[in-house]
Amino acid sequence: MPGMAASPKIFDHLIFSSDIFEVFFLEWFIPDKGISLEDYARLMCKRVKHENPVLIGVSFGGFLVQEMARIINARKVIIISSVKSQNELPKKMHFARVTKVYKLLPTSMVNNIELLAKYAFGETVTKRLDLYEMYLSIRDKKYIDWSIDQIVNWKEKGVVSNLVHIHGDKDTVFPITNISNCIAVKNGTHTMIIHRYRWFNEHLPKIILEKDGSI
């Protein structure tokens, strides 16, 4: 599951042996008005065609796969550049939740690729905009508003079982100083699934196959 507004193209450089793995990509759909993340997860679970899957989610997709794992049985849940609890959210998001300041964000400008990249990746993008335009597929204001609201106001119901957390030590969206019990990726940023794909090609298959998710 890709991150907020992102398409499965963020996984294009990942390589999995077809002799061992069957890979399926989930995509965001526009939420109905007022839908909770739990109910959205319930609808997304209907798109999972196999029993006891390994669920992998990046950033906001990590929030979603955790909710999905509370609905269907998952052999393992792997979150990347994400959080396991509201305690791992940065202070600015706690502030945004209390003050509701996030409701003032200019999300109507989602067709501005630089602004959308800032929302989705937490990074200021001034170069290779065509590349980021390929990765960011959802340009719907209602979806962006809903996603930001769900992230800021997320209240986890306890850590799901069989969860592995992979996090970059240079992540500026969810700083690693707030993160506990994770596999740290040196020099990994919030977009490391794109830029550090070699690390994932080396380690992710082992993490999926190992019972304890170690590397």
Side-chain angles (χ1 to χ4, degrees):
M1 190 74 219
M4 186 180 86
S7 78
K9 289 185 180 296
I10 67 169
F11 303 115
D12 275 358
H13 295 300
L14 299 190
I15 299 172
F16 293 96
S17 170
S18 59
D19 294 334
I20 303 172
F21 301 104
E22 232 184 327
V23 182
F24 294 87
F25 300 103
L26 298 173
E27 298 188 53
W28 295 105
F29 54 87
I30 306 303
D32 292 333
K33 185 176 181 179
I35 192 172
S36 66
L37 186 61
E38 180 181 355
D39 286 340
Y40 189 96
R42 202 174 302 280
L43 293 174
M44 189 64 78
C45 283
K46 294 180 180 179
R47 304 186 179 198
V48 177
K49 304 303 181 184
H50 295 76
E51 293 184 1
N52 209 30
V54 173
L55 298 174
I56 301 175
V58 174
S59 192
F60 183 40
F63 290 58
L64 182 62
V65 296
Q66 289 176 77
E67 294 296 330
M68 292 171 66
R70 295 185 175 97
I71 298 166
I72 60 174
N73 291 323
R75 188 171 72 85
K76 186 172 291 185
V77 180
I78 300 172
I79 62 172
I80 300 166
S81 306
S82 190
V83 301
K84 301 181 290 297
S85 75
Q86 56 187 320
N87 293 330
E88 294 186 339
L89 292 172
K91 289 181 179 179
K92 62 183 178 182
M93 290 190 184
H94 290 292
F95 176 80
R97 182 180 69 246
V98 172
T99 62
K100 306 295 183 185
V101 69
Y102 64 92
K103 293 182 179 292
L104 301 178
L105 293 171
T107 53
S108 59
M109 297 175 64
V110 291
N111 284 320
N112 179 323
I113 192 66
E114 292 182 46
L115 185 63
L116 184 58
K118 185 67 174 175
Y119 289 153
F121 296 147
E123 297 178 359
T124 299
V125 178
T126 56
K127 298 179 180 178
R128 302 191 72 184
L129 290 179
D130 55 335
L131 180 66
Y132 282 89
E133 191 165 9
M134 177 181 72
Y135 290 136
L136 297 169
S137 61
I138 308 293
R139 311 287 174 83
D140 184 272
K141 176 182 175 356
K142 183 171 69 172
Y143 165 83
I144 299 298
D145 286 339
W146 174 82
S147 298
I148 293 172
D149 184 79
Q150 298 304 315
I151 292 169
V152 170
N153 292 293
W154 187 53
K155 294 180 180 178
E156 84 293 343
K157 305 173 186 70
V159 178
V160 300
S161 59
N162 301 318
L163 184 141
V164 178
H165 189 169
I166 305 172
H167 211 84
D169 66 2
K170 297 291 192 296
D171 193 313
T172 58
V173 176
F174 302 124
I176 199 168
T177 52
N178 300 321
I179 306 298
S180 62
N181 301 322
C182 72
I183 297 170
V185 179
K186 188 176 181 180
N187 296 320
T189 66
H190 196 65
T191 54
M192 64 181 181
I193 192 67
I194 300 170
H195 303 302
R196 296 295 309 279
Y197 64 87
R198 291 183 180 86
W199 186 96
F200 286 95
N201 284 334
E202 179 181 355
H203 297 291
L204 191 54
K206 302 173 191 174
I207 292 170
I208 293 171
L209 294 173
E210 289 296 326
K211 285 187 178 181
D212 60 357
S214 60
I215 57 173

